[in-house]
Amino acid sequence: MKKPTKKSKKKIALIILTCLMLAVIVTTLATRLLRQQVDERFGSQLSQEVLTAQVTTGSISTTAAGSGMLQDDDVETVEIPQGVEIKTVLVSRGDTVAEGDILATVNTSTVISAMEEKQEQLDELDDELQSAKNETVGSTITAGLTGRVKAIYAGTGDDVASVMYDKDALMLLSLDGNMAAQLETAALEPEDEVTVVLSDGTEKDGTVAEADDGVATILVTDNGPELGETVTILDDSGVKIGTAELAIHKSLKVTGYAGTVSGISVSENQKVSAGQTLLTLTDTGYTASFDSILRERETLEEDLQDLIQIYQEGAILAPISGTVGSVDYDPDREDDAESEETEAENETLLTLRPDDTMTLTVSIDESDILALEIGQEVAVTVDSIEDETFTGTVLEIDTTGTSSGGVTTYTAEISVPKAEGMLGGMSATATIQIQGVENALLIPADALHKTSSTAYVYTGSNAETGELTGMVEVTIGISNGKYVEITSGLKEGDTVYYTESQENAFAFPMPGGNQNQGGMDWQQRPGDDSRGGMQMPGGGMPGSREQ
């Protein structure tokens, strides 16, 4: 192999030297660039003015906000009665009308025909009512089966429905002649004979009907023992086995649904036969069929009265004052295209907005929904109406949540008095006070510093270096983003020292690298003093020195 000559060795040495010089130059430039970044960015923060604020007393509150669209409230639909023909509609969308104003004129002959038809329907219902009038609720309640009365819940003067609601029955009958007592014991077998001692000391013969999983069911006559009575069970040698409460072995509930109890025909422990009267009633009223027909007739009466008014006026009048929202009547519609079902219904003439209130429905975060109350006042701003805030009221809170992206929200319906310029469909924002404190100790949010375990403020400053001093731990309450409530650690009149928070982050880019890759980032957020433990000269934090 050919040995390197002196000339080639010099060339290699020159190349190495050149590379070293280039490396030194690059390193020098990188260092200068890094210093320039520190001087420009850290220096501007180190030169920040130190601010002071006194601890003051005031009110503070937190709020939740939600946006939505305004909707008109209590919109009323004005209908054309079935069979009535419209001659002329006299209003248009957006017109303002007063109650009683003429909305449309009608063909009076068609109104007469419609009235005749309504009257015929009323006459038919009268015939049905006459037939149903005799179908009243029975005035007595009888025993459905033979048995013994063991409980009477209804008393004279009691409302039947109320007793049923409270007790689920008016009376209880025992059907098989037995009361039953269940006793936890392993000492008894089916068909064993026992003695049942009543609460008054009377002894009755008993028989074990069942014994399963350590529970014995003992039967005793229902003639004498009371429902719910506590009895003592003795074995065939007279040894006490235990105590139990008596229940009806096979029971029947005596029921009813209407009327007032006027008399009770039986007493407890009485034997009754199927069909025997147990209770007598008054004020039983008519059957459900009669009531249903009567309600239908009341509706027809209202329809007829409306037709009479239209006939007398020769027109359909505005039922309320407000603004015409829409005119739905189409005079050019093809009548023969209407189905029989449509012809049997009233047709919509137009809608009226009363212009009193509007509704705003907004979404509320799950963390705030429990703080809302019906009737709570709300500040409402409308995007199209600048520099005005309206007072609304929470009308309804829907507690059925909707989840999206791991966040659950709920809806609240807010009523807002309608003001000039408000229109349905406009975007609006509701701001709801969630939490408030009166007479709270307050400091600017920028003066508070927080770590993962504590919060603190500075109560002094070095005039020469601008370094903040006198760190004091505090306990904080609520914050509205601008001010923070202090619950302990400071008193009114104390002075805190701080610098303005820096909203923008900055980074130290590496030479030739991307600012977000391989660099060292630091970001300060308002009210947050967590900076990854990076200290400035002298132990201060960025932004803590005077200019």
Side-chain angles (χ1 to χ4, degrees):
M1 182 172 64
K2 186 177 180 180
K3 294 182 179 180
T5 62
K6 290 183 179 181
K7 185 177 182 180
S8 62
K9 288 182 179 179
K10 288 181 179 180
K11 187 175 182 180
I12 291 171
L14 182 60
I15 292 172
I16 293 173
L17 180 61
T18 302
C19 291
L20 291 174
M21 291 178 66
L22 287 173
V24 171
I25 292 172
V26 170
T27 301
T28 302
L29 289 175
T31 302
R32 288 179 179 178
L33 179 61
L34 184 59
R35 279 182 183 170
Q36 184 178 358
Q37 292 283 345
V38 172
D39 290 342
E40 290 179 356
R41 304 197 184 200
F42 257 152
S44 65
Q45 295 201 23
L46 290 172
S47 63
Q48 278 188 297
E49 180 183 2
V50 174
L51 304 176
T52 63
Q54 280 194 325
V55 180
T56 59
T57 300
S59 300
I60 187 171
S61 62
T62 58
T63 60
S67 299
M69 289 193 303
L70 291 173
Q71 295 179 332
D72 289 299
D73 259 353
D74 302 324
V75 176
E76 184 156 339
T77 300
V78 180
E79 295 183 334
I80 306 169
Q82 177 191 345
V84 174
E85 292 182 2
I86 298 295
K87 290 175 65 176
T88 308
V89 178
L90 302 179
V91 294
S92 302
R93 180 184 178 90
D95 287 351
T96 301
V97 299
E99 182 179 350
D101 284 353
I102 296 177
L103 302 177
T105 58
V106 298
N107 185 329
T108 54
S109 63
T110 62
V111 180
I112 294 173
S113 297
M115 288 191 295
E116 290 177 351
E117 184 176 346
K118 290 295 180 187
Q119 188 59 57
E120 289 175 0
Q121 294 175 2
L122 284 167
D123 293 340
E124 291 175 1
L125 285 181
D126 286 343
D127 293 337
E128 295 181 27
L129 281 172
Q130 187 60 39
S131 300
K133 188 175 182 180
N134 298 323
E135 300 175 5
T136 58
V137 177
S139 59
T140 61
I141 294 178
T142 60
L145 296 171
T146 297
R148 190 179 299 277
V149 179
K150 297 308 297 179
I152 300 176
Y153 298 130
T156 303
D158 285 349
D159 176 68
V160 170
S162 297
V163 177
M164 287 295 300
Y165 179 78
D166 292 335
K167 300 294 186 179
D168 292 333
L170 302 175
M171 292 185 181
L172 292 180
L173 301 184
S174 171
L175 299 181
D176 66 353
N178 292 312
M179 302 293 283
Q182 288 193 328
L183 185 65
E184 291 188 9
T185 178
L188 296 175
E189 298 290 339
E191 299 185 3
D192 281 355
E193 299 294 330
V194 297
T195 299
V196 178
V197 183
L198 306 183
S199 57
D200 63 359
T202 303
E203 295 185 355
K204 298 285 185 181
D205 293 334
T207 303
V208 178
E210 298 178 14
D212 188 24
D213 292 333
V215 177
T217 300
I218 301 162
L219 300 184
V220 65
T221 179
D222 64 6
N223 186 11
E226 297 180 0
L227 176 64
E229 181 179 1
T230 300
V231 297
T232 302
I233 310 299
L234 309 178
D235 63 14
D236 55 1
S237 61
V239 177
K240 178 180 175 180
I241 301 175
T243 59
E245 189 174 286
L246 290 180
I248 301 173
H249 185 232
K250 299 291 184 182
S251 67
L252 175 71
K253 291 181 179 180
V254 177
T255 61
Y257 67 92
T260 302
V261 178
S262 60
I264 303 172
S265 305
V266 295
S267 58
E268 287 187 2
N269 206 52
Q270 180 180 335
K271 187 79 171 182
V272 296
S273 303
Q276 182 176 339
T277 297
L278 304 177
L279 300 168
T280 55
L281 310 175
T282 58
D283 305 323
T284 53
Y286 296 106
T287 62
S289 174
F290 180 89
D291 291 339
S292 176
I293 298 171
L294 192 60
R295 286 193 297 271
E296 185 179 351
R297 193 186 196 285
E298 290 171 353
T299 301
L300 286 175
E301 290 169 0
E302 294 174 359
D303 292 344
L304 179 60
Q305 188 61 40
D306 291 342
L307 287 168
I308 291 173
Q309 182 188 47
I310 293 172
Y311 176 73
Q312 291 292 330
E313 301 289 345
I316 296 177
L317 308 183
I320 60 171
S321 299
T323 303
V324 178
S326 63
V327 178
D328 300 293
Y329 173 73
D330 181 9
D332 299 322
R333 73 190 190 285
E334 298 181 9
D335 292 336
D336 57 356
E338 299 285 340
S339 67
E340 293 183 1
E341 181 180 354
T342 304
E343 289 176 351
E345 299 175 353
N346 293 344
E347 183 181 355
T348 298
L349 173 63
L350 51 80
T351 58
L352 278 177
R353 304 192 308 262
D355 292 336
D356 293 329
T357 58
M358 303 195 80
T359 298
L360 176 65
T361 302
V362 297
S363 295
I364 303 296
D365 188 82
E366 61 183 318
S367 61
D368 299 324
I369 192 65
L370 294 179
L372 262 64
E373 296 179 357
I374 301 296
Q376 184 174 357
E377 288 192 350
V378 178
V380 177
T381 56
V382 181
D383 292 357
S384 302
I385 305 176
E386 297 182 354
D387 302 325
E388 283 198 59
T389 300
F390 307 94
T391 300
T393 304
V394 178
L395 279 184
E396 186 177 336
I397 301 171
D398 186 352
T399 54
T400 303
T402 301
S403 296
S404 178
V407 177
T408 301
T409 58
Y410 301 82
T411 58
E413 188 175 293
I414 298 163
S415 176
V416 188
K418 189 168 185 178
E420 183 178 356
M422 284 188 185
L423 298 175
M426 283 185 172
S427 297
T429 300
T431 303
I432 306 168
Q433 180 173 311
I434 298 301
Q435 189 179 16
V437 178
E438 300 289 338
N439 299 318
L441 293 178
L442 305 177
I443 64 170
D446 287 347
L448 182 72
H449 303 267
K450 291 194 295 184
T451 67
S452 60
S453 60
T454 188
Y456 60 94
V457 297
Y458 291 109
T459 57
S461 172
N462 187 314
E464 295 182 359
T465 65
E467 180 181 352
L468 299 179
T469 61
M471 187 176 76
V472 174
E473 288 193 9
V474 295
T475 305
I476 61 175
I478 65 175
S479 172
N480 61 10
K482 188 174 181 181
Y483 292 96
V484 179
E485 177 195 9
I486 301 298
T487 60
S488 68
L490 295 173
K491 64 181 184 297
E492 185 177 3
D494 286 348
T495 301
V496 293
Y497 292 74
Y498 65 101
T499 57
E500 290 182 308
S501 294
Q502 299 299 304
E503 296 288 342
N504 299 320
F506 70 88
F508 299 103
M510 297 302 290
N514 187 301
Q515 180 172 325
N516 294 320
Q517 296 176 354
M520 176 170 58
D521 290 338
W522 172 77
Q523 181 175 1
Q524 180 181 358
R525 293 171 291 182
D528 188 345
D529 199 41
S530 176
R531 301 182 176 89
M534 182 173 65
Q535 296 282 338
M536 291 302 296
M541 291 292 188
S544 62
R545 293 182 179 273
E546 295 177 334
Q547 289 183 332

